[in-house]
């Protein structure tokens, strides 16, 4: 069981604006350039990603998913439903669910930049939540 209160407070600290919404994709594509190809962004300068309306909108959607995940994790049905939203984003972009394991470091880097940092306890709890998500998705046969 993850510390839901800690993670929810951390999410509330993220200053989600038009300028910060694209940070997740910038971090994802910088850390895992092979993922950029699924978004047709392999030739885009990483510094321009947060300024792109496409990635501002996608980032807002995906960050909102992440922000709902801690509260959903306490109920198996809600957790699966929340993860279905992310599965849909991956499916819409042709990304195999096996790539989900690349998400945490990009998300934490975005949190580091726009949520006042990531301390050791927050990182431990986020990684536990993502590990639960990966284990559950595997159990459900999503990959």
């Amino acid at each position: 069981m993850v510390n839901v209160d800690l993670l929810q407070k951390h999410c509330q600290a993220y200053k989600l604006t038009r300028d910060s919404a694209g940070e997740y994709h910038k971090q994802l594509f910088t850390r895992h350039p092979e993922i950029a190809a699924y978004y047709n962004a392999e030739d885009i300068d990483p510094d321009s990603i947060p300024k792109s309306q496409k990635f501002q909108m996608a980032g807002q959607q995906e960050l909102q998913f992440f922000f709902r995940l801690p509260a959903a994790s306490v109920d198996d049905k809600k957790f699966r439903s929340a993860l279905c939203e992310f599965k849909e984003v991956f499916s819409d972009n042709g990304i195999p669910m096996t790539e989900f394991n690349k998400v945490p470091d990009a998300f934490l880097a975005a949190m580091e930049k726009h949520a006042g940092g990531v301390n050791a306890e927050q990182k431990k709890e986020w990684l536990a939540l993502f590990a639960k998500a990966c284990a559950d998705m595997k159990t459900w046969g999503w990959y």
Side-chain angles (χ1 to χ4, degrees):
M1 182 74 87
V2 299
N3 185 335
V4 172
D5 290 336
L6 176 78
L7 296 183
Q8 286 182 311
K9 286 178 185 166
H10 197 209
C11 291
Q12 291 169 356
Y14 197 100
K15 295 165 183 62
L16 189 56
T17 66
R18 191 170 53 114
D19 294 330
S20 68
E23 186 67 32
Y24 164 69
H25 288 95
K26 176 183 177 181
Q27 295 297 330
L28 184 63
F29 300 163
T30 300
R31 294 164 188 275
H32 305 286
E34 68 281 6
I35 299 294
Y38 293 109
Y39 290 86
N40 295 317
E42 59 269 35
D43 296 324
I44 296 176
D45 172 24
D47 290 331
S48 69
I49 291 171
K51 296 174 182 87
S52 162
Q53 184 177 4
K54 173 183 176 179
F55 292 111
Q56 288 170 350
M57 294 182 72
Q60 193 146 21
Q61 176 190 17
E62 291 177 43
L63 286 167
Q64 289 295 334
F65 156 75
F66 289 125
F67 297 161
R68 287 192 304 273
L69 205 52
S73 71
V74 298
D75 178 282
D76 289 338
K77 192 174 183 178
K78 288 180 182 176
F79 195 56
R80 184 178 178 130
S81 178
L83 289 171
C84 278
E85 293 177 40
F86 206 78
K87 182 181 181 200
E88 188 174 313
V89 169
F90 265 46
S91 178
D92 287 350
N93 289 292
I95 307 169
M97 287 307 294
T98 54
E99 300 287 7
F100 186 81
N101 66 344
K102 296 177 180 172
V103 165
D105 60 341
F107 173 73
L108 289 173
M111 292 296 282
E112 178 73 39
K113 188 166 183 180
H114 295 288
V118 178
N119 66 36
E121 185 180 9
Q122 290 165 330
K123 183 176 182 177
K124 177 181 154 254
E125 294 297 322
W126 278 116
L127 291 178
L129 182 62
F130 282 114
K132 176 183 173 17
C134 287
D136 286 355
M137 287 189 280
K138 194 168 191 176
T139 299
W140 300 329
W142 292 5
Y143 67 91

